[in-house]
Amino acid sequence: RATEIEVNFYSRLFFKCLCGFFHSRLAGRTAKSSYCFLFSFSTLVTIANALFLLAGAVVNWFFHAVSLADLLWIAATLVGGSPIFLLAIRGIKKGDLTAGVMVSVAMIGALLVGEYSAAALVSFMMMFGEMLENLTMARADDAIKQLARLLPAQVTLLRAGAPVVVPIEEVRVGDILVVANGEHIPVDGTVADGRAAIDESTITGESV
């Protein structure tokens, strides 16, 4: 048996805000995977930095070529530190003491005292942290896209006692929506007639 839901003012306002938010987040990105950050400049720099850092450690530990290891670590610092140095410069120009400024000072200080491995490690930690942040943002974007797919394009309204299928944009305050078994509830509202068990796991993480 279908359940009838009456749309109220707050649900209409929530619906408009939700659709606007999803539209702004997904505009121009529906055909593009959020995990494209894996091939971004920042990720490639982090990988190159890690390779130079690892190569320097291998050369130093197994071949005892200290000079070559130092060169590899310096290369790792320059490669991984370049985005950090640029971030620090922008922060200084704006008069903002960002984390990039502090990390840049730490790397330069390590290079001046000959601790090349430490400088390379600091740059890697900074870039790796940024990569993890991008991963978190990508997963959040995917969750938003999955939630947006649940919004139906059309809904069934009860008008003059008869069900009428209309676009979801035409839903107004006070309309009575008919939600059949297995359908998604398109907007928030008050149950006017009928009973049903609702799966809310997408929103709350709990099925009931």
Side-chain angles (χ1 to χ4, degrees):
R1 187 173 182 276
T3 302
E4 297 178 2
I5 298 178
E6 182 177 358
V7 182
N8 54 44
F9 170 78
Y10 295 103
S11 67
R12 178 63 183 169
L13 180 63
F14 170 77
F15 167 72
K16 292 181 68 176
C17 294
L18 188 66
C19 288
F21 174 72
F22 284 152
H23 183 270
S24 64
R25 294 288 294 177
L26 302 179
R29 301 175 59 183
T30 54
K32 184 178 180 181
S33 172
S34 61
Y35 285 90
C36 287
F37 84 93
L38 292 173
F39 305 98
S40 66
F41 174 76
S42 177
T43 302
L44 296 178
V45 168
T46 304
I47 295 174
N49 174 262
L51 291 176
F52 278 119
L53 180 62
L54 181 61
V58 170
V59 168
N60 183 52
W61 292 341
F62 293 100
F63 300 99
H64 304 288
V66 178
S67 298
L68 180 57
D70 288 343
L71 290 176
L72 290 171
W73 284 329
I74 292 174
T77 304
L78 295 178
V79 170
S82 56
I84 304 174
F85 292 141
L86 293 176
L87 179 64
I89 292 173
R90 295 193 190 102
I92 293 174
K93 288 182 178 179
K94 295 179 180 179
D96 187 12
L97 191 62
T98 62
V101 177
M102 307 305 296
V103 173
S104 298
V105 171
M107 286 190 295
I108 294 174
L111 290 175
L112 291 177
V113 299
E115 293 293 338
Y116 306 117
S117 60
L121 185 59
V122 168
S123 63
F124 171 74
M125 291 174 60
M126 183 72 173
M127 296 303 298
F128 186 69
E130 182 178 349
M131 189 175 71
L132 291 180
E133 180 182 356
N134 292 335
L135 173 61
T136 303
M137 293 176 60
R139 295 182 63 181
D141 284 345
D142 274 358
I144 291 174
K145 289 179 181 180
Q146 292 177 6
L147 185 60
R149 295 190 190 103
L150 298 179
L151 292 176
Q154 294 180 326
V155 298
T156 303
L157 297 182
L158 193 63
R159 291 179 176 173
V164 180
V165 178
V166 299
I168 194 171
E169 292 80 7
E170 295 184 10
V171 177
R172 296 293 181 266
V173 177
D175 286 343
I176 302 296
L177 276 67
V178 180
V179 182
N181 292 334
E183 291 184 349
H184 292 137
I185 299 177
V187 296
D188 191 15
T190 303
V191 177
D193 185 30
R195 298 179 63 184
I198 301 173
D199 183 1
E200 301 178 349
S201 58
T202 306
I203 305 296
T204 64
E206 299 179 358
S207 59
V208 179

